């Protein structure tokens, strides 16, 4: 069979392919580190993410602020600080618009450069309609998550929420919200962005510009899984499209000519990859992006399934973590203040030393006996997500104290 020749700009194609791959790795690598340091790093910590967080969000921020102050003056600094405050600490729809641009723009790129190869050797025609259906389902889940009530607590409905969960008197105790001036039911929290209390508060999601609480947690999970399925499906569909292109163009039977040297080389996997990236870069980029984002979204979905299985929330996990850290700090302080055994005072401990020893014993006993009062078992916990307790009739709710205490399990340090 006569060889199929592909005339390429030898070095140019290789350079473009290498730059494309390096760009992808740099984009996802740097983006992952920045996001991880933003959400997991702490300004006063000593770990690698803490150091990066300090470098990017403390020192770099101060350096940029000083430079702008030197060049543009205090007025420009004030304007930028106001914009930053609006962007990060107020309730605004900018990220919702950005989400719509991402999903609609991404689907347009996929439709333009990927769907033209459907049907193909490994992709049937009906996959195009599945793509339309999945994008529509994602937009539908987005709209539901945006407009669903998260469980806003007000004076009018406080009676529906105040007896839904008992106070565990560990991380939740009876108190009044200073902003709303109403009783704070157990597991609720006041969101400073939305400026209202939310039942069984999990977190504030900037992508839907809405708190995630008792009433819309199931919609949030639906939002996550639909987008995870769309991305994973798009990633594997892209792989089959690319393999089909390679087969249709018979690249493994082709020979490649370098226009600079007129040298003809046989097809190798490396040369074919470089050729595909140069000529079909957009669909390859979208395939790679879909696979990465699909994995991230699916893992995030599994994370929320896991904490729902324990009948806890993101906010509560943070509270538990703070509690255990506080107990460890107090124990370490008590150990530091203790008198060494070889000291002269060891034989006759003072009243202060006896009090510290008793306090340490109580702290250790408290940590060992801390339980999650709200854990009722795997299936019952998941059913609370699908059918929130505050939406059930009083008669159909589980017993608040005896049933929950029966199934509660000891928490382990985070």
């Amino acid at each position: 069979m006569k060889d199929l020749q592909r005339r390429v700009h030898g070095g140019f194609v290789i350079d473009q392919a290498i730059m494309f791959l390096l760009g992808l790795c740099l984009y996802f690598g740097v983006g992952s580190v920045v996001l991880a340091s933003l959400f997991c790093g702490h300004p006063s910590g000593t770990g690698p993410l803490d150091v990066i967080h300090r470098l990017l969000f403390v020192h770099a921020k101060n350096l940029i602020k000083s430079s702008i102050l030197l060049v543009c003056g205090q007025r420009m600094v004030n304007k930028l600080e106001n914009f930053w405050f609006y962007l990060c600490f107020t309730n605004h729809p900018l990220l919702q618009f950005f989400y719509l641009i991402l999903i609609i723009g991404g689907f347009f790129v996929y439709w333009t450069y990927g769907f033209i190869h459907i049907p193909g050797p490994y992709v049937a025609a009906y996959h195009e309609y599945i793509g339309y259906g999945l994008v529509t389902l994602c937009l539908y889940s987005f709209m539901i998550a945006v407009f669903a009530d998260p469980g806003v607590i007000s004076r009018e409905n406080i009676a529906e929420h105040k007896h839904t969960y008992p106070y565990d008197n560990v991380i939740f105790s009876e108190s009044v919200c200073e902003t709303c001036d109403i009783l704070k039911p157990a597991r609720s929290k006041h969101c400073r962005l939305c400026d209202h209390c939310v039942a069984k508060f999990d977190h504030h999601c900037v992508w839907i510009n809405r708190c995630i609480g008792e009433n819309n947690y199931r919609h949030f999970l639906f939002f996550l899984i639909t987008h995870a399925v769309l991305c994973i499906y798009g990633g594997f569909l892209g792989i089959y499209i690319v393999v089909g292109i390679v087969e249709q163009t018979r690249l493994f039977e082709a020979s490649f000519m370098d226009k600079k040297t007129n040298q003809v080389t046989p097809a190798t996997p490396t040369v074919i990859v470089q050729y595909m990236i140069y000529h079909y870069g957009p669909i390859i980029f979208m395939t790679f992006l879909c696979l990465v984002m699909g994995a991230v979204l699916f893992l995030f979905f599994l994370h929320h399934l896991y904490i729902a299985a324990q009948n806890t929330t993101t906010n509560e996990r943070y509270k538990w973590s703070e509690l255990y850290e506080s107990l460890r700090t107090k124990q370490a302080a008590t150990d530091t203040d203790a008198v060494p055994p070889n000291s002269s005072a060891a034989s006759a401990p003072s009243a202060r030393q006896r009090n510290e020893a008793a306090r340490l014993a109580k702290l250790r006993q408290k940590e060992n006996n801390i339980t999650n009062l709200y854990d009722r078992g795997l299936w019952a916990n998941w059913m609370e997500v699908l059918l929130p307790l505050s939406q059930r009739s009083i008669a159909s709710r589980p017993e608040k104290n005896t049933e929950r205490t029966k199934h509660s399990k000891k928490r382990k340090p985070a």
Side-chain angles (χ1 to χ4, degrees):
M1 182 179 293
K2 185 178 179 179
D3 283 355
L4 301 174
Q5 290 191 349
R6 300 289 188 271
R7 294 179 176 271
V8 297
H9 302 276
F12 179 72
V13 173
I14 295 175
D15 292 341
Q16 289 292 308
I18 293 175
M19 291 301 295
F20 179 81
L21 292 175
L22 288 178
L24 283 180
C25 295
L26 187 65
Y27 173 78
F28 288 105
V30 172
S32 300
V33 171
V34 170
L35 288 176
S37 65
L38 175 62
F39 294 109
C40 303
H42 194 274
S44 60
T46 57
L49 291 179
D50 302 320
V51 173
I52 296 173
H53 181 94
R54 261 194 316 275
L55 180 64
L56 294 178
F57 302 105
V58 178
H59 301 311
K61 177 185 174 183
N62 293 336
L63 179 62
I64 293 173
K65 182 179 177 179
S66 302
S67 303
I68 295 174
L69 179 63
L70 183 64
V71 176
C72 304
Q74 185 63 42
R75 180 183 241 177
M76 179 59 70
V77 171
N78 293 339
K79 288 183 178 179
L80 290 176
E81 285 183 340
N82 290 337
F83 176 73
W84 181 256
F85 181 83
Y86 170 78
L87 193 65
C88 299
F89 303 105
T90 59
N91 205 2
H92 59 79
L94 294 182
L95 281 178
Q96 290 175 287
F97 289 122
F98 183 61
Y99 158 81
L100 292 174
I101 292 172
L102 279 180
I103 189 168
I104 296 175
F107 181 72
F108 177 76
V109 173
Y110 205 108
W111 177 80
T112 303
Y113 295 98
F115 280 17
I116 59 173
H117 302 288
I118 298 177
Y122 302 104
V123 181
Y126 63 82
H127 285 284
E128 182 176 353
Y129 302 101
I130 293 178
Y132 294 140
L134 286 176
V135 171
T136 304
L137 189 63
C138 285
L139 292 173
Y140 173 72
S141 70
F142 172 73
M143 298 302 292
I144 289 180
V146 165
F147 291 107
D149 172 31
V152 175
I153 301 173
S154 62
R155 294 183 185 277
E156 289 73 23
N157 65 3
I158 183 65
E160 301 174 10
H161 295 282
K162 66 180 181 180
H163 296 306
T164 302
Y165 295 101
Y167 296 101
D168 62 0
N169 294 317
V170 180
I171 58 175
F172 295 110
S173 57
E174 187 170 340
S175 61
V176 174
C177 176
E178 296 179 356
T179 306
C180 300
D181 195 26
I182 58 174
L183 178 70
K184 289 180 66 175
R187 312 190 77 179
S188 67
K189 185 179 185 297
H190 184 90
C191 177
R192 59 186 177 84
L193 291 177
C194 297
D195 197 27
H196 50 230
C197 290
V198 177
K200 198 180 177 183
F201 179 87
D202 188 89
H203 71 286
H204 182 92
C205 179
V206 295
W207 292 104
I208 64 174
N209 196 26
R210 178 77 68 169
C211 290
I212 306 301
E214 182 185 21
N215 290 354
N216 69 341
Y217 191 49
R218 60 191 185 277
H219 302 309
F220 175 69
L221 293 179
F222 182 54
F223 172 76
L224 286 181
I225 193 60
T226 53
H227 286 74
V229 170
L230 173 67
C231 290
I232 294 172
Y233 179 82
F236 282 99
L237 183 65
I239 292 175
Y240 283 111
I241 289 175
V242 170
V243 172
I245 293 172
V246 172
E247 181 172 308
Q248 281 184 320
T249 53
R250 296 158 61 190
L251 289 183
F252 280 102
E253 303 173 16
S255 58
F256 295 82
M257 178 181 291
D258 190 332
K259 282 189 175 182
K260 291 182 178 179
T261 62
N262 289 328
Q263 181 180 0
V264 178
T265 58
T268 63
T270 303
V271 173
I272 291 174
V273 168
Q274 294 167 357
Y275 177 87
M276 290 295 295
I277 291 175
Y278 180 72
H279 289 280
Y280 302 95
I283 183 59
I284 293 177
F285 173 78
M286 290 303 300
T287 299
F288 186 79
L289 181 64
C290 284
L291 290 173
V292 172
M293 292 306 301
V296 171
L297 288 170
F298 187 67
L299 288 175
F300 193 48
F301 172 76
L302 291 180
H303 166 73
H304 274 279
L305 274 188
Y306 172 73
I307 65 176
Q310 296 180 317
N311 205 332
T312 185
T313 65
T314 303
N315 176 56
E316 290 167 12
R317 286 169 67 86
Y318 178 75
K319 285 179 175 291
W320 283 112
S321 178
E322 278 194 326
L323 174 64
Y324 283 121
E325 184 62 32
S326 174
L327 291 174
R328 294 190 194 102
T329 302
K330 291 177 180 178
Q331 290 177 10
T334 304
D335 291 338
T336 302
D337 294 339
V339 178
N342 58 355
S343 66
S344 58
S347 57
S350 64
R352 177 178 176 274
Q353 294 165 4
R354 288 195 298 272
N355 292 337
E356 286 298 320
R359 186 169 69 89
L360 176 60
K362 288 181 180 179
L363 287 173
R364 287 173 176 164
Q365 183 179 8
K366 183 177 181 181
E367 181 173 356
N368 292 332
N369 293 331
I370 287 176
T371 58
N372 178 13
L373 187 65
Y374 311 113
D375 187 358
R376 300 190 300 115
L378 177 65
W379 296 112
N381 294 340
W382 278 348
M383 284 305 299
E384 279 192 25
V385 174
L386 297 177
L387 185 58
L389 293 186
S390 63
Q391 297 182 6
R392 304 183 193 182
S393 63
I394 300 297
S396 65
R397 295 181 186 179
E399 293 184 30
K400 295 180 179 61
N401 294 308
T402 57
E403 184 70 16
R404 292 173 188 272
T405 305
K406 177 182 177 181
H407 292 281
S408 63
K409 298 178 182 179
K410 292 185 178 181
R411 290 195 53 90
K412 298 180 180 179

